[in-house]
Amino acid sequence: MRPNGRHTAGASQLSAIRVWAICLLLLSAVAINPTPARAAPSQAAATTHVYLLRGVLNIFSLGLDTIGSRLQAQGIPVTVANFVSWSSLADEAAANYRAGRLKTIVLVGHSSGATALPDMIAKLKQLGVPVKLAIGLDSVFKTKLTTGAERYINIYIGDGPGEPVRAADGFRGKLDNVDVRGTGVGHISIDKNEAIQRRVIAEIDAAIMRSRAPATPVAEPGAPRQARSAAATAPARN
C-alpha cells in the first residue's frame, strides 16, 4: 500500500521547520553568549621581557612557571630558568635591548633565584641596560643591593630563612622590603601562593604601564631656564 503523498509532504515540511528552529536557537545562544575576543598585547607588553629565576635544584620554584604562564596569556614574553643562568640571561637581554627588540626588563626570582637578582642587575648596568622592576621572593643569605633597578621589591618571611635586602652606600632606586610573616606562606610555598602571585603580576603590569608614560625630568636647582626647556622636551628611553 502506497503512503499518502500529502501526508509525506507534510512530514517533510515539519522536519524542515524543526531544523530551522534548532538553527535559530543555536544562533541565538551564540549571540547571547559570544566568545570573548582576546585583546592584542600592547606594544609596551610586547617589548617587555620578564626573566624568572628558579632556586636550587630547579624543582622548588615551580610557582614561577605558573606566573610565567599567566604573563604569557597577557601577551608578555617570559623566560623561566635556573638561577645559575643569570649571567648568560643578562647577556641575552642586553643584546636584545641594543637591537631595539626589548625596552623594558623585569626580573623575578625565588630563593637562590632572588639572591642572584642583584648580580644580574649589576651586570646589566655594566652593559648599559636598565632594569625597570625586580621582585625577589624570600631571598636567602645576606643579599646586598649595590646598584638598583628602578624599583626593587623583596617579599620575604621575617621569621623564616629569607632576609631583608640591604642597600649599599650610594644606592639609587626604590627598595621595598615586604615582610609577609603570619600569612601562612613558607619558603617553599611563597612562589605558589595565589595572593603573592597576584601581587607579582600586578606589580609587573604597573611597571609596564609606567614604561608607556614619558618620564618627567627634574631640573637641577639653579639650572638655566634654557637647560630646563631642553630637558623637558628630550625624549625618554625606557
Side-chain angles (χ1 to χ4, degrees):
M1 181 175 181
R2 294 179 62 187
N4 184 281
R6 185 176 298 171
H7 176 75
T8 303
S12 299
Q13 289 175 352
L14 287 173
S15 298
I17 291 171
R18 290 192 187 98
V19 170
W20 278 106
I22 292 170
C23 290
L24 288 172
L25 286 172
L26 291 173
L27 289 172
S28 299
V30 170
I32 294 171
N33 299 303
T35 302
R38 177 176 292 182
S42 67
Q43 180 65 20
T47 55
T48 297
H49 201 102
V50 181
Y51 293 91
L52 301 115
L53 303 183
R54 297 194 193 108
V56 174
L57 300 180
N58 219 28
I59 59 174
F60 297 118
S61 306
L62 298 184
L64 297 185
D65 294 66
T66 303
I67 293 172
S69 295
R70 292 182 175 183
L71 292 171
Q72 284 180 318
Q74 296 179 202
I76 302 171
V78 306
T79 296
V80 185
N82 188 253
F83 77 99
V84 297
S85 303
W86 69 263
S87 183
S88 60
L89 291 176
D91 289 331
E92 174 190 301
N96 287 327
Y97 182 83
R98 294 194 192 99
R101 293 187 294 269
L102 180 56
K103 293 183 178 180
T104 304
I105 296 172
V106 177
L107 311 178
V108 181
H110 170 237
S111 189
S112 294
T115 305
L117 293 184
D119 291 329
M120 188 169 178
I121 293 170
K123 180 168 184 177
L124 284 168
K125 183 179 180 181
Q126 290 175 354
L127 296 172
V129 180
V131 176
K132 191 74 175 178
L133 172 68
I135 303 176
L137 301 178
D138 218 31
S139 178
V140 293
F141 309 115
K142 293 188 180 298
T143 306
K144 191 172 184 179
L145 200 59
T146 56
T147 184
E150 182 178 303
R151 188 175 184 204
Y152 192 109
I153 305 172
N154 176 49
I155 303 175
Y156 73 105
I157 306 164
D159 55 358
E163 296 183 358
V165 171
R166 296 173 297 136
D169 293 338
F171 168 79
R172 297 185 64 183
K174 185 176 181 182
L175 170 62
D176 293 324
N177 279 296
V178 181
D179 189 349
V180 294
R181 76 177 82 188
T183 59
V185 299
H187 182 72
I188 301 299
S189 64
I190 189 171
D191 61 305
K192 304 168 188 66
N193 180 270
E194 178 65 24
I196 298 292
Q197 289 189 354
R198 285 199 304 267
R199 170 154 190 183
V200 169
I201 293 171
E203 294 287 359
I204 293 170
D205 289 340
I208 292 173
M209 289 297 294
R210 290 196 304 272
S211 72
R212 299 171 67 176
T216 302
V218 178
E220 294 292 331
R225 184 178 300 275
Q226 183 176 1
R228 287 196 186 99
S229 299
T233 57
R237 184 179 186 185
N238 294 306

